[in-house]
Amino acid sequence: MTTNWNSLHDKVTHHLQTIYANVSLEKSVAELATELIESMGLANDHDIVEPKHHCNYWDEQDVMMITYGDSIMHGHEKPLFTLHRFLQTYCKNTINKVHLLPFYPYSSDDGFSVIDYSSVNEALGEWTDIRRLADDYGLMFDLVVNHCSARSAWFENFIKGEGPGSDFFFTASPDDDLSQVTRPRVSPLLRETPTQHGTKYVWCTFSHDQVDFDFSNPKVLLAFMQIIRLYIDKGAKVFRLDAVAFLWKIVGTTCINLPQTHEVIRLMRTLIEHVDPGIIIITETNIPNRENLTYFGNANEAHAIYNFSLPPLLVNTLVTGDCRYLKSWMMGMPPAQNGTTYFNFIASHDGIGLRPAEGLLDDEEISTLVHTMQNYGGKISWRASAHGQQKPYEINITLFDALQGTVDGPDRWQVQRFICAHAIMLGMEGMPGIYIHSLLGTSNDYEKVANTGQNRSINRKRWEYDELERLLDSPYSQHHRVLTQMSQLIRIRKAQPAFHPNATQFTLQLGNQLFGYWRQSLDRNQSIFCVSNISNEEQSVLMSDINLIGTDHWVDLISGETIEDDSGYLHLTPYQTVWISNHHHQ
């Protein structure tokens, strides 16, 4: 073995010493390091790629679509094949990355209760369908790392007390003090399970069908590194570490964001980047903002973190017509250092999480938001707080329906308000992720909620391809209007260097009805002033307040109109956005 291998071995050993400092292991950490490196296919020096540090493996061209494998169905065709056809037909020049939500065999939670990590759910297709998608799009795979299905072979072996998986699960005693454990659900934490070795109490952070792994057993870590290597071989370019904040548990603590969890992510990062430095890790940590930011580490943990505070703050801004909370949050967000970026989204397969708004919106503001969303057909998921009272955890509603009006009720600005939300997101620092149902302007699916009994189903419609095609090709449908306008915004965004995820961002102070920020390209050649009227009345802004430099030639990239900087005022219609730039890139 030579320098590269030895230096990687030293790094991995160091991670393992930190992770397992208080765990007695059967093997030495040096042996374990060797096993992990080999499980990633890095047996020799020539397999190992040296990563560059603080390198941005993304730019303004990157726009990700979030979707289930079966969001669009067509007769007996494999849904993954249908999805590829949809993308090639309707998203060719807009979307270049796809977050494929879990496409493995599963037993509940729409895929997040994985039965078998190494195969494709037959109802969706097979590995060749994944490969076809990976040939044309950068694919994000879910690594459901905290728990698996209670119907998995691993858990069946746990019950039998023998075979792979028999020692993979975290157990505790009902007598343990678990009062501090942070929970996203109201179900009991421990699941009483009869096994060959007597009754065990299995830890279930989410549901009793989702049994939590015990990462203090290095075999679990090894199994996951083998899964990661498989996914890389099958075309994964981005890994989403699902619910990773809960990964390490110590009885008597909160069991969230523990130091060992951060070190496991750093270890995964080290191993993955020596296989391919261009593979991106995104942590899915639906927690208050300050804690979320820690997952960047020192550009040695996640490359990207979900900007979880954005959805509730932006929806709140647009339904109240007041951007003060969004503005103060944005001013407090540190710029992501090179090699890291924010992953921005305003709708996803889950609802609008409210925990990330805690400390940013007060209780009264949250209560008004919840009430408004209920008026628009939204459902609310609850959690128990430390004092046992019920607190809203998540709003379940499609973004299109969430923006059908204001706190005063529905109005005629639904499409404009919806497009405004995306214009704000698309211009912001970070990489944008757009849920397929936002691209399609999908409304609440009450029928699916009735069929599944799950609130989240409201935003998980399955479209029939023929019906969708008819609606998208009809100029009068909301779906056609939304897709056309969204596609235009995305195409404009992708051509602007000032919209690079790491380009400079500065929040503008334009009062509470106008939300604005300034972006400047990394080479400083392009400036864009992004200003949105977030109210349902016309607003005017004094050109001198935006501070356009008189010698430059300014144009609004969205309307194509030239901006005369000495004209005094810029007038914006309700929910209009302008992207005023000194360099016109098309």
Side-chain angles (χ1 to χ4, degrees), residues 250-268:
I250 298 174
V251 168
T253 71
T254 58
C255 298
I256 190 171
N257 307 323
L258 296 185
Q260 293 88 337
T261 294
H262 284 283
E263 197 64 41
V264 168
I265 298 168
R266 288 195 277 270
L267 167 66
M268 288 177 169

Side-chain angles (χ1 to χ4, degrees), residues 286-317:
N286 191 352
I287 49 181
N289 198 39
R290 191 176 296 253
E291 295 162 37
N292 195 15
L293 288 166
T294 62
Y295 282 86
F296 278 146
N298 183 25
N300 62 351
E301 256 182 78
H303 296 88
I305 58 174
Y306 276 77
N307 229 339
F308 272 110
S309 302
L310 180 62
L313 287 176
L314 187 49
V315 171
N316 180 71
T317 295

Side-chain angles (χ1 to χ4, degrees), residues 112-395:
F112 285 94
S113 188
V114 180
I115 292 176
D116 174 14
Y117 287 85
S118 59
S119 63
V120 176
N121 179 354
E122 286 175 3
L124 298 177
E126 48 200 41
W127 281 118
T128 49
D129 298 299
I130 300 287
R131 191 70 260 181
R132 187 186 302 110
L133 279 161
D135 288 343
D136 291 318
Y137 300 90
L139 287 192
M140 174 148 90
F141 282 30
D142 265 287
L143 192 70
V144 186
V145 71
N146 178 68
H147 51 261
C148 71
S149 166
R151 285 177 39 202
S152 62
W154 283 343
F155 195 65
E156 284 170 4
N157 287 344
F158 170 83
I159 291 169
K160 281 194 290 215
E162 59 183 38
S166 58
D167 50 0
F168 277 20
F169 298 94
F170 195 86
T171 58
S173 155
D175 302 331
D176 288 333
D177 179 10
L178 305 176
S179 58
Q180 287 188 60
V181 175
T182 301
R183 290 295 307 289
R185 298 287 182 274
V186 285
S187 54
L189 176 62
L190 299 182
R191 166 194 158 131
E192 190 175 332
T193 309
T195 75
Q196 275 315 107
H197 301 303
T199 300
K200 304 272 186 183
Y201 294 89
V202 181
W203 195 281
C204 299
T205 300
F206 291 90
S207 79
H208 282 194
D209 186 48
Q210 292 164 299
V211 283
D212 282 33
F213 290 113
D214 180 4
F215 272 85
S216 71
N217 175 359
K219 287 185 204 162
V220 176
L221 183 61
L222 194 58
F224 270 98
M225 291 322 300
Q226 287 162 345
I227 291 163
I228 286 172
R229 179 67 224 206
L230 171 74
Y231 292 175
I232 293 172
D233 292 340
K234 299 295 188 185
K237 284 285 173 233
V238 189
F239 282 100
R240 175 184 184 272
L241 305 187
D242 175 63
V244 70
F246 301 99
L247 177 133
W248 197 275
K249 291 100 177 148
I250 298 174
V251 168
T253 71
T254 58
C255 298
I256 190 171
N257 307 323
L258 296 185
Q260 293 88 337
T261 294
H262 284 283
E263 197 64 41
V264 168
I265 298 168
R266 288 195 277 270
L267 167 66
M268 288 177 169
R269 164 80 177 255
T270 296
L271 286 163
I272 290 169
E273 70 185 3
H274 282 82
V275 175
D276 177 351
I279 290 177
I280 298 168
I281 296 171
I282 300 188
T283 50
E284 189 264 332
T285 41
N286 191 352
I287 49 181
N289 198 39
R290 191 176 296 253
E291 295 162 37
N292 195 15
L293 288 166
T294 62
Y295 282 86
F296 278 146
N298 183 25
N300 62 351
E301 256 182 78
H303 296 88
I305 58 174
Y306 276 77
N307 229 339
F308 272 110
S309 302
L310 180 62
L313 287 176
L314 187 49
V315 171
N316 180 71
T317 295
L318 288 163
V319 298
T320 59
D322 182 337
C323 67
R324 80 182 79 167
Y325 298 104
L326 180 64
K327 200 162 51 179
S328 66
W329 165 75
M330 187 128 152
M331 287 166 64
M333 287 298 274
Q337 58 171 311
N338 278 334
T340 65
T341 189
Y342 293 109
F343 184 67
N344 295 326
F345 73 107
I346 42 180
S348 77
H349 64 289
D350 286 343
I352 299 167
L354 291 172
R355 285 214 66 206
E358 286 172 21
L360 302 171
L361 295 177
D362 60 35
D363 286 352
E364 192 180 345
E365 199 79 18
I366 288 178
S367 166
T368 303
L369 180 61
V370 165
H371 185 66
T372 306
M373 292 302 103
Q374 284 174 313
N375 286 346
Y376 294 151
K379 310 276 182 194
I380 310 298
S381 302
W382 303 85
R383 70 181 182 92
S385 74
H387 310 297
Q389 81 238 57
Q390 296 256 307
K391 294 193 79 162
Y393 173 73
E394 180 179 270
I395 300 166

Side-chain angles (χ1 to χ4, degrees), residues 5-19:
W5 195 92
N6 285 330
S7 98
L8 176 59
H9 192 269
D10 288 347
K11 281 183 198 161
V12 173
T13 304
H14 180 74
H15 291 305
L16 292 169
Q17 282 165 338
T18 308
I19 295 166

Side-chain angles (χ1 to χ4, degrees), residues 46-161:
H46 64 255
D47 299 322
I48 295 173
V49 186
E50 270 307 302
K52 295 187 194 70
H53 294 293
H54 300 284
C55 187
N56 297 325
Y57 290 100
W58 45 80
D59 63 24
E60 61 276 8
Q61 307 263 335
D62 290 314
V63 179
M64 188 180 286
M65 185 178 88
I66 304 161
T67 183
Y68 282 104
D70 60 357
S71 292
I72 307 175
M73 312 287 279
H74 184 65
H76 295 296
E77 198 171 83
K78 292 290 190 191
L80 288 169
F81 185 88
T82 310
L83 177 66
H84 186 260
R85 190 156 54 118
F86 166 79
L87 283 160
Q88 296 292 80
T89 308
Y90 292 100
C91 306
K92 195 90 175 101
N93 305 314
T94 51
I95 300 298
N96 71 336
K97 286 185 160 48
V98 175
H99 171 202
L100 214 44
L101 286 151
F103 51 82
Y104 326 108
Y106 72 96
S107 55
S108 64
D109 197 17
D110 277 355
F112 285 94
S113 188
V114 180
I115 292 176
D116 174 14
Y117 287 85
S118 59
S119 63
V120 176
N121 179 354
E122 286 175 3
L124 298 177
E126 48 200 41
W127 281 118
T128 49
D129 298 299
I130 300 287
R131 191 70 260 181
R132 187 186 302 110
L133 279 161
D135 288 343
D136 291 318
Y137 300 90
L139 287 192
M140 174 148 90
F141 282 30
D142 265 287
L143 192 70
V144 186
V145 71
N146 178 68
H147 51 261
C148 71
S149 166
R151 285 177 39 202
S152 62
W154 283 343
F155 195 65
E156 284 170 4
N157 287 344
F158 170 83
I159 291 169
K160 281 194 290 215

